[in-house]
mmCIF file of all heavy atoms in Angstrom:
data_model
loop_
_atom_site.group_PDB
_atom_site.id
_atom_site.type_symbol
_atom_site.label_atom_id
_atom_site.label_comp_id
_atom_site.label_asym_id
_atom_site.label_seq_id
_atom_site.Cartn_x
_atom_site.Cartn_y
_atom_site.Cartn_z
ATOM 1 N N SER B 1 0.856 -1.257 0.020
ATOM 2 C CA SER B 1 0.009 0.010 -0.002
ATOM 3 C C SER B 1 0.930 1.179 -0.011
ATOM 4 O O SER B 1 0.567 2.169 -0.663
ATOM 5 C CB SER B 1 -0.958 0.083 1.219
ATOM 6 O OG SER B 1 -0.216 0.175 2.469
ATOM 7 N N ILE B 2 1.998 1.194 0.676
ATOM 8 C CA ILE B 2 2.899 2.363 0.600
ATOM 9 C C ILE B 2 3.495 2.595 -0.686
ATOM 10 O O ILE B 2 3.655 3.768 -1.163
ATOM 11 C CB ILE B 2 4.027 2.124 1.701
ATOM 12 C CG1 ILE B 2 3.422 2.104 3.118
ATOM 13 C CG2 ILE B 2 5.204 3.268 1.643
ATOM 14 C CD1 ILE B 2 4.520 1.790 4.250
ATOM 15 N N GLN B 3 3.899 1.480 -1.273
ATOM 16 C CA GLN B 3 4.467 1.632 -2.662
ATOM 17 C C GLN B 3 3.355 2.064 -3.713
ATOM 18 O O GLN B 3 3.685 2.760 -4.666
ATOM 19 C CB GLN B 3 4.972 0.004 -3.273
ATOM 20 C CG GLN B 3 6.191 -0.286 -2.306
ATOM 21 C CD GLN B 3 6.712 -1.604 -2.939
ATOM 22 O OE1 GLN B 3 6.185 -2.672 -2.456
ATOM 23 N NE2 GLN B 3 7.580 -1.594 -3.864
ATOM 24 N N ILE B 4 2.099 1.685 -3.481
ATOM 25 C CA ILE B 4 0.983 2.163 -4.366
ATOM 26 C C ILE B 4 0.934 3.693 -4.150
ATOM 27 O O ILE B 4 0.724 4.386 -5.162
ATOM 28 C CB ILE B 4 -0.351 1.450 -4.022
ATOM 29 C CG1 ILE B 4 -0.210 0.083 -4.450
ATOM 30 C CG2 ILE B 4 -1.555 2.144 -4.653
ATOM 31 C CD1 ILE B 4 -1.440 -0.804 -3.984
ATOM 32 N N VAL B 5 0.861 4.187 -2.975
ATOM 33 C CA VAL B 5 0.840 5.603 -2.675
ATOM 34 C C VAL B 5 2.019 6.301 -3.274
ATOM 35 O O VAL B 5 1.768 7.460 -3.835
ATOM 36 C CB VAL B 5 0.761 5.880 -1.170
ATOM 37 C CG1 VAL B 5 0.879 7.423 -0.930
ATOM 38 C CG2 VAL B 5 -0.520 5.362 -0.529
ATOM 39 N N MET B 6 3.170 5.784 -3.242
ATOM 40 C CA MET B 6 4.329 6.366 -3.830
ATOM 41 C C MET B 6 4.467 6.057 -5.416
ATOM 42 O O MET B 6 5.458 6.509 -5.975
ATOM 43 C CB MET B 6 5.511 5.840 -3.143
ATOM 44 C CG MET B 6 5.642 6.287 -1.547
ATOM 45 S SD MET B 6 7.081 5.623 -0.802
ATOM 46 C CE MET B 6 8.410 6.646 -1.566
ATOM 47 N N LYS B 7 3.450 5.386 -5.880
ATOM 48 C CA LYS B 7 3.347 5.122 -7.357
ATOM 49 C C LYS B 7 4.540 4.317 -7.850
ATOM 50 O O LYS B 7 5.158 4.574 -8.875
ATOM 51 C CB LYS B 7 3.259 6.376 -8.077
ATOM 52 C CG LYS B 7 1.979 7.233 -7.795
ATOM 53 C CD LYS B 7 1.833 8.539 -8.604
ATOM 54 C CE LYS B 7 0.519 9.056 -8.322
ATOM 55 N NZ LYS B 7 0.383 10.405 -9.184
ATOM 56 N N GLN B 8 4.910 3.190 -7.041
ATOM 57 C CA GLN B 8 5.945 2.386 -7.499
ATOM 58 C C GLN B 8 5.450 1.148 -7.992
ATOM 59 O O GLN B 8 4.301 0.718 -7.715
ATOM 60 C CB GLN B 8 6.916 2.079 -6.263
ATOM 61 C CG GLN B 8 7.683 3.300 -5.639
ATOM 62 C CD GLN B 8 8.623 2.862 -4.513
ATOM 63 O OE1 GLN B 8 8.698 1.747 -4.253
ATOM 64 N NE2 GLN B 8 9.362 3.896 -4.093
ATOM 65 N N LYS B 9 6.134 0.421 -8.898
ATOM 66 C CA LYS B 9 5.740 -0.688 -9.599
ATOM 67 C C LYS B 9 5.746 -2.001 -8.607
ATOM 68 O O LYS B 9 6.625 -2.084 -7.838
ATOM 69 C CB LYS B 9 6.576 -0.976 -10.919
ATOM 70 C CG LYS B 9 6.034 -2.175 -11.695
ATOM 71 C CD LYS B 9 6.969 -2.350 -12.923
ATOM 72 C CE LYS B 9 6.339 -3.470 -13.697
ATOM 73 N NZ LYS B 9 7.199 -3.695 -14.976
ATOM 74 N N ILE B 10 4.650 -2.747 -8.778
ATOM 75 C CA ILE B 10 4.605 -4.002 -7.819
ATOM 76 C C ILE B 10 4.839 -5.052 -8.721
ATOM 77 O O ILE B 10 4.122 -5.546 -9.667
ATOM 78 C CB ILE B 10 3.202 -4.093 -7.188
ATOM 79 C CG1 ILE B 10 2.616 -2.806 -6.618
ATOM 80 C CG2 ILE B 10 3.109 -5.181 -6.249
ATOM 81 C CD1 ILE B 10 3.608 -2.228 -5.474
ATOM 82 N N ASN B 11 5.967 -5.762 -8.484
ATOM 83 C CA ASN B 11 6.478 -6.890 -9.326
ATOM 84 C C ASN B 11 5.735 -8.260 -9.018
ATOM 85 O O ASN B 11 4.918 -8.257 -8.044
ATOM 86 C CB ASN B 11 8.022 -7.205 -9.329
ATOM 87 C CG ASN B 11 8.536 -7.425 -7.814
ATOM 88 O OD1 ASN B 11 7.739 -8.077 -7.071
ATOM 89 N ND2 ASN B 11 9.629 -7.004 -7.602
ATOM 90 N N LEU B 12 6.007 -9.232 -9.755
ATOM 91 C CA LEU B 12 5.274 -10.560 -9.556
ATOM 92 C C LEU B 12 5.582 -11.223 -8.218
ATOM 93 O O LEU B 12 4.603 -11.787 -7.651
ATOM 94 C CB LEU B 12 5.674 -11.527 -10.706
ATOM 95 C CG LEU B 12 5.047 -12.843 -10.753
ATOM 96 C CD1 LEU B 12 3.584 -12.639 -10.880
ATOM 97 C CD2 LEU B 12 5.500 -13.748 -11.829
ATOM 98 N N LYS B 13 6.816 -11.126 -7.773
ATOM 99 C CA LYS B 13 7.158 -11.695 -6.453
ATOM 100 C C LYS B 13 6.334 -11.090 -5.306
ATOM 101 O O LYS B 13 5.760 -11.803 -4.496
ATOM 102 C CB LYS B 13 8.670 -11.449 -6.113
ATOM 103 C CG LYS B 13 9.523 -12.450 -6.775
ATOM 104 C CD LYS B 13 9.477 -13.751 -6.143
ATOM 105 C CE LYS B 13 10.596 -14.692 -6.664
ATOM 106 N NZ LYS B 13 10.522 -16.072 -6.055
ATOM 107 N N GLN B 14 6.107 -9.834 -5.444
ATOM 108 C CA GLN B 14 5.322 -9.059 -4.348
ATOM 109 C C GLN B 14 3.817 -9.483 -4.447
ATOM 110 O O GLN B 14 3.193 -9.602 -3.417
ATOM 111 C CB GLN B 14 5.537 -7.605 -4.417
ATOM 112 C CG GLN B 14 6.878 -6.980 -4.004
ATOM 113 C CD GLN B 14 6.932 -5.577 -4.269
ATOM 114 O OE1 GLN B 14 7.246 -5.114 -5.388
ATOM 115 N NE2 GLN B 14 6.756 -4.756 -3.308
ATOM 116 N N ARG B 15 3.481 -9.612 -5.664
ATOM 117 C CA ARG B 15 2.040 -9.985 -5.816
ATOM 118 C C ARG B 15 1.794 -11.385 -5.293
ATOM 119 O O ARG B 15 0.791 -11.637 -4.641
ATOM 120 C CB ARG B 15 1.601 -9.971 -7.349
ATOM 121 C CG ARG B 15 1.565 -8.611 -7.922
ATOM 122 C CD ARG B 15 1.496 -8.633 -9.506
ATOM 123 N NE ARG B 15 1.562 -7.392 -10.109
ATOM 124 C CZ ARG B 15 0.560 -6.548 -10.386
ATOM 125 N NH1 ARG B 15 -0.705 -7.040 -10.245
ATOM 126 N NH2 ARG B 15 0.780 -5.295 -10.931
ATOM 127 N N LEU B 16 2.742 -12.260 -5.447
ATOM 128 C CA LEU B 16 2.538 -13.679 -4.909
ATOM 129 C C LEU B 16 2.573 -13.485 -3.446
ATOM 130 O O LEU B 16 1.803 -14.357 -2.704
ATOM 131 C CB LEU B 16 3.659 -14.530 -5.394
ATOM 132 C CG LEU B 16 3.659 -14.963 -6.865
ATOM 133 C CD1 LEU B 16 4.888 -15.479 -7.328
ATOM 134 C CD2 LEU B 16 2.442 -15.905 -7.072
ATOM 135 N N LEU B 17 3.487 -12.790 -2.770
ATOM 136 C CA LEU B 17 3.521 -12.673 -1.311
ATOM 137 C C LEU B 17 2.247 -12.067 -0.780
ATOM 138 O O LEU B 17 1.689 -12.461 0.208
ATOM 139 C CB LEU B 17 4.696 -11.706 -0.976
ATOM 140 C CG LEU B 17 6.174 -12.440 -1.133
ATOM 141 C CD1 LEU B 17 7.163 -11.365 -1.071
ATOM 142 C CD2 LEU B 17 6.241 -13.593 -0.285
ATOM 143 N N VAL B 18 1.779 -11.049 -1.350
ATOM 144 C CA VAL B 18 0.491 -10.309 -0.876
ATOM 145 C C VAL B 18 -0.600 -11.286 -0.976
ATOM 146 O O VAL B 18 -1.477 -11.349 -0.054
ATOM 147 C CB VAL B 18 0.247 -8.972 -1.629
ATOM 148 C CG1 VAL B 18 -0.971 -8.340 -1.187
ATOM 149 C CG2 VAL B 18 1.404 -8.018 -1.370
ATOM 150 N N LYS B 19 -0.692 -12.006 -2.206
ATOM 151 C CA LYS B 19 -1.773 -12.927 -2.288
ATOM 152 C C LYS B 19 -1.827 -13.921 -1.239
ATOM 153 O O LYS B 19 -2.981 -14.415 -0.719
ATOM 154 C CB LYS B 19 -1.650 -13.576 -3.625
ATOM 155 C CG LYS B 19 -2.805 -14.661 -3.996
ATOM 156 C CD LYS B 19 -2.440 -15.217 -5.362
ATOM 157 C CE LYS B 19 -3.591 -16.230 -5.835
ATOM 158 N NZ LYS B 19 -3.732 -17.356 -4.842
ATOM 159 N N GLN B 20 -0.698 -14.426 -0.783
ATOM 160 C CA GLN B 20 -0.657 -15.425 0.348
ATOM 161 C C GLN B 20 -0.904 -14.777 1.597
ATOM 162 O O GLN B 20 -1.672 -15.359 2.517
ATOM 163 C CB GLN B 20 0.811 -16.001 0.428
ATOM 164 C CG GLN B 20 0.924 -17.028 1.387
ATOM 165 C CD GLN B 20 0.274 -18.262 1.050
ATOM 166 O OE1 GLN B 20 0.263 -18.764 -0.144
ATOM 167 N NE2 GLN B 20 -0.491 -18.901 2.011
ATOM 168 N N ASP B 21 -0.555 -13.497 1.832
ATOM 169 C CA ASP B 21 -0.879 -12.840 3.048
ATOM 170 C C ASP B 21 -2.305 -12.536 3.323
ATOM 171 O O ASP B 21 -2.809 -12.558 4.395
ATOM 172 C CB ASP B 21 -0.017 -11.484 3.153
ATOM 173 C CG ASP B 21 0.006 -10.938 4.478
ATOM 174 O OD1 ASP B 21 -0.258 -11.527 5.493
ATOM 175 O OD2 ASP B 21 0.510 -9.746 4.628
ATOM 176 N N ILE B 22 -3.030 -12.006 2.241
ATOM 177 C CA ILE B 22 -4.458 -11.641 2.402
ATOM 178 C C ILE B 22 -5.382 -12.655 1.851
ATOM 179 O O ILE B 22 -6.633 -12.341 1.713
ATOM 180 C CB ILE B 22 -4.580 -10.233 1.777
ATOM 181 C CG1 ILE B 22 -4.323 -10.326 0.348
ATOM 182 C CG2 ILE B 22 -3.883 -9.314 2.470
ATOM 183 C CD1 ILE B 22 -4.597 -9.037 -0.503
ATOM 184 N N SER B 23 -4.943 -13.852 1.517
ATOM 185 C CA SER B 23 -5.780 -14.869 0.965
ATOM 186 C C SER B 23 -6.573 -14.358 -0.287
ATOM 187 O O SER B 23 -7.746 -14.585 -0.379
ATOM 188 C CB SER B 23 -6.821 -15.305 2.036
ATOM 189 O OG SER B 23 -6.146 -15.908 3.100
ATOM 190 N N GLY B 24 -5.838 -13.696 -1.195
ATOM 191 C CA GLY B 24 -6.455 -13.145 -2.382
ATOM 192 C C GLY B 24 -6.709 -14.343 -3.380
ATOM 193 O O GLY B 24 -5.960 -15.292 -3.506
ATOM 194 N N PHE B 25 -7.734 -14.139 -4.297
ATOM 195 C CA PHE B 25 -8.071 -15.223 -5.292
ATOM 196 C C PHE B 25 -7.350 -14.900 -6.664
ATOM 197 O O PHE B 25 -6.685 -15.751 -7.299
ATOM 198 C CB PHE B 25 -9.506 -15.292 -5.422
ATOM 199 C CG PHE B 25 -10.171 -16.017 -4.329
ATOM 200 C CD1 PHE B 25 -9.619 -16.395 -3.271
ATOM 201 C CD2 PHE B 25 -11.545 -16.174 -4.325
ATOM 202 C CE1 PHE B 25 -10.172 -17.040 -2.192
ATOM 203 C CE2 PHE B 25 -12.280 -16.871 -3.490
ATOM 204 C CZ PHE B 25 -11.599 -17.275 -2.362
ATOM 205 N N ASP B 26 -7.384 -13.587 -7.081
ATOM 206 C CA ASP B 26 -6.923 -13.302 -8.426
ATOM 207 C C ASP B 26 -5.693 -12.527 -8.359
ATOM 208 O O ASP B 26 -5.545 -11.338 -7.907
ATOM 209 C CB ASP B 26 -8.070 -12.503 -9.128
ATOM 210 C CG ASP B 26 -7.711 -12.318 -10.691
ATOM 211 O OD1 ASP B 26 -6.597 -12.544 -11.088
ATOM 212 O OD2 ASP B 26 -8.636 -12.069 -11.301
ATOM 213 N N LEU B 27 -4.571 -13.188 -8.902
ATOM 214 C CA LEU B 27 -3.295 -12.555 -8.778
ATOM 215 C C LEU B 27 -3.170 -11.249 -9.614
ATOM 216 O O LEU B 27 -2.499 -10.336 -9.239
ATOM 217 C CB LEU B 27 -2.172 -13.552 -9.289
ATOM 218 C CG LEU B 27 -0.674 -13.095 -9.163
ATOM 219 C CD1 LEU B 27 -0.395 -12.946 -7.712
ATOM 220 C CD2 LEU B 27 0.147 -14.168 -9.851
ATOM 221 N N LYS B 28 -3.968 -11.189 -10.790
ATOM 222 C CA LYS B 28 -3.925 -10.064 -11.588
ATOM 223 C C LYS B 28 -4.397 -8.835 -10.994
ATOM 224 O O LYS B 28 -4.188 -7.711 -11.372
ATOM 225 C CB LYS B 28 -4.611 -10.304 -12.925
ATOM 226 C CG LYS B 28 -4.090 -11.432 -13.805
ATOM 227 C CD LYS B 28 -4.837 -11.729 -14.969
ATOM 228 C CE LYS B 28 -4.138 -12.828 -15.776
ATOM 229 N NZ LYS B 28 -4.903 -13.090 -17.177
ATOM 230 N N LYS B 29 -5.467 -9.069 -10.003
ATOM 231 C CA LYS B 29 -6.124 -7.930 -9.365
ATOM 232 C C LYS B 29 -5.714 -7.599 -7.966
ATOM 233 O O LYS B 29 -6.364 -7.004 -7.269
ATOM 234 C CB LYS B 29 -7.639 -8.227 -9.418
ATOM 235 C CG LYS B 29 -8.265 -8.298 -10.758
ATOM 236 C CD LYS B 29 -9.816 -8.629 -10.681
ATOM 237 C CE LYS B 29 -10.384 -8.743 -12.087
ATOM 238 N NZ LYS B 29 -11.814 -8.948 -12.045
ATOM 239 N N ILE B 30 -4.513 -8.088 -7.643
ATOM 240 C CA ILE B 30 -4.063 -7.894 -6.281
ATOM 241 C C ILE B 30 -3.839 -6.559 -5.907
ATOM 242 O O ILE B 30 -4.219 -6.075 -4.781
ATOM 243 C CB ILE B 30 -2.713 -8.771 -6.016
ATOM 244 C CG1 ILE B 30 -2.940 -10.237 -5.891
ATOM 245 C CG2 ILE B 30 -1.872 -8.206 -4.813
ATOM 246 C CD1 ILE B 30 -3.685 -10.620 -4.617
ATOM 247 N N VAL B 31 -3.255 -5.658 -6.718
ATOM 248 C CA VAL B 31 -2.985 -4.338 -6.513
ATOM 249 C C VAL B 31 -4.233 -3.463 -6.359
ATOM 250 O O VAL B 31 -4.422 -2.835 -5.376
ATOM 251 C CB VAL B 31 -2.105 -3.629 -7.738
ATOM 252 C CG1 VAL B 31 -2.003 -2.087 -7.438
ATOM 253 C CG2 VAL B 31 -0.785 -4.333 -7.832
ATOM 254 N N LEU B 32 -5.208 -3.786 -7.206
ATOM 255 C CA LEU B 32 -6.551 -3.198 -7.013
ATOM 256 C C LEU B 32 -7.219 -3.740 -5.677
ATOM 257 O O LEU B 32 -7.842 -2.937 -5.051
ATOM 258 C CB LEU B 32 -7.509 -3.544 -8.245
ATOM 259 C CG LEU B 32 -8.937 -3.122 -8.293
ATOM 260 C CD1 LEU B 32 -8.880 -1.523 -8.220
ATOM 261 C CD2 LEU B 32 -9.714 -3.718 -9.499
ATOM 262 N N PHE B 33 -7.053 -5.005 -5.447
ATOM 263 C CA PHE B 33 -7.559 -5.444 -4.256
ATOM 264 C C PHE B 33 -6.982 -4.860 -3.028
ATOM 265 O O PHE B 33 -7.764 -4.495 -2.051
ATOM 266 C CB PHE B 33 -7.278 -7.013 -4.177
ATOM 267 C CG PHE B 33 -8.089 -7.761 -3.252
ATOM 268 C CD1 PHE B 33 -9.456 -7.585 -3.052
ATOM 269 C CD2 PHE B 33 -7.402 -8.585 -2.133
ATOM 270 C CE1 PHE B 33 -10.202 -8.362 -2.129
ATOM 271 C CE2 PHE B 33 -8.154 -9.297 -1.312
ATOM 272 C CZ PHE B 33 -9.532 -9.153 -1.285
ATOM 273 N N VAL B 34 -5.679 -4.468 -3.021
ATOM 274 C CA VAL B 34 -5.053 -3.827 -1.902
ATOM 275 C C VAL B 34 -5.640 -2.510 -1.637
ATOM 276 O O VAL B 34 -5.831 -1.911 -0.527
ATOM 277 C CB VAL B 34 -3.509 -3.719 -1.994
ATOM 278 C CG1 VAL B 34 -2.872 -2.800 -1.050
ATOM 279 C CG2 VAL B 34 -2.914 -5.297 -1.969
ATOM 280 N N ARG B 35 -5.824 -1.795 -2.820
ATOM 281 C CA ARG B 35 -6.373 -0.329 -2.758
ATOM 282 C C ARG B 35 -7.779 -0.454 -2.132
ATOM 283 O O ARG B 35 -8.070 0.443 -1.280
ATOM 284 C CB ARG B 35 -6.469 0.146 -4.116
ATOM 285 C CG ARG B 35 -5.212 0.645 -4.858
ATOM 286 C CD ARG B 35 -5.499 1.515 -5.988
ATOM 287 N NE ARG B 35 -4.283 1.847 -6.693
ATOM 288 C CZ ARG B 35 -3.828 1.358 -7.825
ATOM 289 N NH1 ARG B 35 -4.557 0.342 -8.381
ATOM 290 N NH2 ARG B 35 -2.727 1.786 -8.432
ATOM 291 N N ARG B 36 -8.457 -1.417 -2.482
ATOM 292 C CA ARG B 36 -9.850 -1.439 -1.800
ATOM 293 C C ARG B 36 -9.818 -1.886 -0.321
ATOM 294 O O ARG B 36 -10.653 -1.501 0.341
ATOM 295 C CB ARG B 36 -10.753 -2.498 -2.701
ATOM 296 C CG ARG B 36 -11.094 -1.955 -3.981
ATOM 297 C CD ARG B 36 -11.825 -2.966 -4.838
ATOM 298 N NE ARG B 36 -12.306 -2.347 -6.041
ATOM 299 C CZ ARG B 36 -12.979 -3.101 -7.049
ATOM 300 N NH1 ARG B 36 -13.235 -4.335 -6.872
ATOM 301 N NH2 ARG B 36 -13.323 -2.365 -8.202
ATOM 302 N N ILE B 37 -8.899 -2.661 0.020
ATOM 303 C CA ILE B 37 -8.675 -3.029 1.271
ATOM 304 C C ILE B 37 -8.484 -1.737 2.094
ATOM 305 O O ILE B 37 -9.101 -1.471 3.225
ATOM 306 C CB ILE B 37 -7.473 -4.030 1.560
ATOM 307 C CG1 ILE B 37 -7.889 -5.401 1.066
ATOM 308 C CG2 ILE B 37 -6.961 -3.983 3.041
ATOM 309 C CD1 ILE B 37 -6.653 -6.382 1.153
ATOM 310 N N LEU B 38 -7.635 -0.910 1.695
ATOM 311 C CA LEU B 38 -7.254 0.398 2.314
ATOM 312 C C LEU B 38 -8.558 1.259 2.485
ATOM 313 O O LEU B 38 -8.810 1.817 3.523
ATOM 314 C CB LEU B 38 -6.161 1.111 1.637
ATOM 315 C CG LEU B 38 -4.798 0.445 1.639
ATOM 316 C CD1 LEU B 38 -3.799 1.318 0.794
ATOM 317 C CD2 LEU B 38 -4.249 0.243 3.006
ATOM 318 N N ILE B 39 -9.318 1.330 1.439
ATOM 319 C CA ILE B 39 -10.496 2.163 1.400
ATOM 320 C C ILE B 39 -11.532 1.548 2.442
ATOM 321 O O ILE B 39 -12.043 2.291 3.251
ATOM 322 C CB ILE B 39 -11.227 2.234 0.028
ATOM 323 C CG1 ILE B 39 -10.159 2.876 -0.940
ATOM 324 C CG2 ILE B 39 -12.576 2.865 0.142
ATOM 325 C CD1 ILE B 39 -10.662 2.854 -2.348
ATOM 326 N N TYR B 40 -11.800 0.323 2.324
ATOM 327 C CA TYR B 40 -12.817 -0.308 3.275
ATOM 328 C C TYR B 40 -12.258 -0.188 4.781
ATOM 329 O O TYR B 40 -13.025 0.199 5.647
ATOM 330 C CB TYR B 40 -12.953 -1.725 2.925
ATOM 331 C CG TYR B 40 -13.682 -2.012 1.639
ATOM 332 C CD1 TYR B 40 -13.189 -2.864 0.687
ATOM 333 C CD2 TYR B 40 -14.839 -1.292 1.257
ATOM 334 C CE1 TYR B 40 -13.816 -3.036 -0.526
ATOM 335 C CE2 TYR B 40 -15.540 -1.520 0.103
ATOM 336 C CZ TYR B 40 -14.972 -2.449 -0.729
ATOM 337 O OH TYR B 40 -15.619 -2.638 -2.108
ATOM 338 N N THR B 41 -11.041 -0.350 4.939
ATOM 339 C CA THR B 41 -10.522 -0.339 6.360
ATOM 340 C C THR B 41 -10.632 1.039 7.019
ATOM 341 O O THR B 41 -11.194 1.189 8.043
ATOM 342 C CB THR B 41 -9.000 -0.717 6.339
ATOM 343 O OG1 THR B 41 -8.895 -2.111 5.866
ATOM 344 C CG2 THR B 41 -8.428 -0.566 7.755
ATOM 345 N N PHE B 42 -10.207 2.090 6.254
ATOM 346 C CA PHE B 42 -10.198 3.387 6.749
ATOM 347 C C PHE B 42 -11.569 4.003 6.807
ATOM 348 O O PHE B 42 -11.904 4.777 7.804
ATOM 349 C CB PHE B 42 -9.374 4.299 5.977
ATOM 350 C CG PHE B 42 -7.870 3.936 6.032
ATOM 351 C CD1 PHE B 42 -7.044 4.006 4.881
ATOM 352 C CD2 PHE B 42 -7.241 3.503 7.200
ATOM 353 C CE1 PHE B 42 -5.698 3.663 5.002
ATOM 354 C CE2 PHE B 42 -5.983 3.141 7.327
ATOM 355 C CZ PHE B 42 -5.244 3.161 6.288
ATOM 356 N N VAL B 43 -12.512 3.615 5.900
ATOM 357 C CA VAL B 43 -13.929 4.116 6.013
ATOM 358 C C VAL B 43 -14.638 3.540 7.235
ATOM 359 O O VAL B 43 -15.214 4.236 8.097
ATOM 360 C CB VAL B 43 -14.729 3.764 4.729
ATOM 361 C CG1 VAL B 43 -16.226 3.925 4.927
ATOM 362 C CG2 VAL B 43 -14.233 4.562 3.596
ATOM 363 N N ILE B 44 -14.597 2.140 7.400
ATOM 364 C CA ILE B 44 -15.135 1.486 8.609
ATOM 365 C C ILE B 44 -14.556 1.974 9.889
ATOM 366 O O ILE B 44 -15.313 2.271 10.846
ATOM 367 C CB ILE B 44 -14.952 -0.070 8.414
ATOM 368 C CG1 ILE B 44 -15.779 -0.597 7.285
ATOM 369 C CG2 ILE B 44 -15.459 -0.690 9.729
ATOM 370 C CD1 ILE B 44 -15.545 -1.948 6.945
ATOM 371 N N GLU B 45 -13.134 2.069 9.959
ATOM 372 C CA GLU B 45 -12.608 2.490 11.134
ATOM 373 C C GLU B 45 -12.886 3.945 11.508
ATOM 374 O O GLU B 45 -13.077 4.362 12.611
ATOM 375 C CB GLU B 45 -11.143 2.305 11.047
ATOM 376 C CG GLU B 45 -10.598 0.896 11.123
ATOM 377 C CD GLU B 45 -9.060 0.741 10.922
ATOM 378 O OE1 GLU B 45 -8.524 1.786 10.502
ATOM 379 O OE2 GLU B 45 -8.498 -0.399 11.184
ATOM 380 N N GLY B 46 -12.997 4.716 10.406
ATOM 381 C CA GLY B 46 -13.390 6.257 10.520
ATOM 382 C C GLY B 46 -14.741 6.476 11.076
ATOM 383 O O GLY B 46 -14.945 7.214 12.010
ATOM 384 N N ILE B 47 -15.697 5.665 10.551
ATOM 385 C CA ILE B 47 -17.059 5.869 11.070
ATOM 386 C C ILE B 47 -17.131 5.332 12.507
ATOM 387 O O ILE B 47 -17.852 6.049 13.380
ATOM 388 C CB ILE B 47 -17.977 4.920 10.206
ATOM 389 C CG1 ILE B 47 -18.072 5.703 8.754
ATOM 390 C CG2 ILE B 47 -19.456 4.914 10.828
ATOM 391 C CD1 ILE B 47 -18.899 4.794 7.730
ATOM 392 N N ALA B 48 -16.550 4.222 12.807
ATOM 393 C CA ALA B 48 -16.508 3.681 14.239
ATOM 394 C C ALA B 48 -15.900 4.628 15.216
ATOM 395 O O ALA B 48 -16.359 4.915 16.280
ATOM 396 C CB ALA B 48 -15.894 2.306 14.190
#
């Protein structure tokens, strides 16, 4: 997520690691999935 904010490229190795960490299904959409994780997390935490 930090690399996404800094607009750095996410390579295949990182995608595999993140997929394992968050139990993601689609390797191609991992970066988009991480973005949505941040949005959902901060919105829910903010309202609470």
Side-chain angles (χ1 to χ4, degrees):
S1 67
I2 295 175
Q3 291 183 273
I4 291 174
V5 172
M6 299 181 68
K7 298 182 179 180
Q8 294 185 356
K9 187 177 180 180
I10 313 299
N11 60 35
L12 181 59
K13 279 286 187 183
Q14 285 176 281
R15 291 170 187 264
L16 287 169
L17 289 169
V18 175
K19 182 178 183 296
Q20 185 65 44
D21 194 13
I22 61 178
S23 301
F25 284 4
D26 193 341
L27 188 62
K28 296 179 181 179
K29 297 181 180 180
I30 283 296
V31 175
L32 178 61
F33 195 51
V34 170
R35 286 198 182 101
R36 290 180 176 175
I37 285 176
L38 295 178
I39 294 173
Y40 293 130
T41 297
F42 295 138
V43 167
I44 294 172
E45 290 177 347
I47 294 173

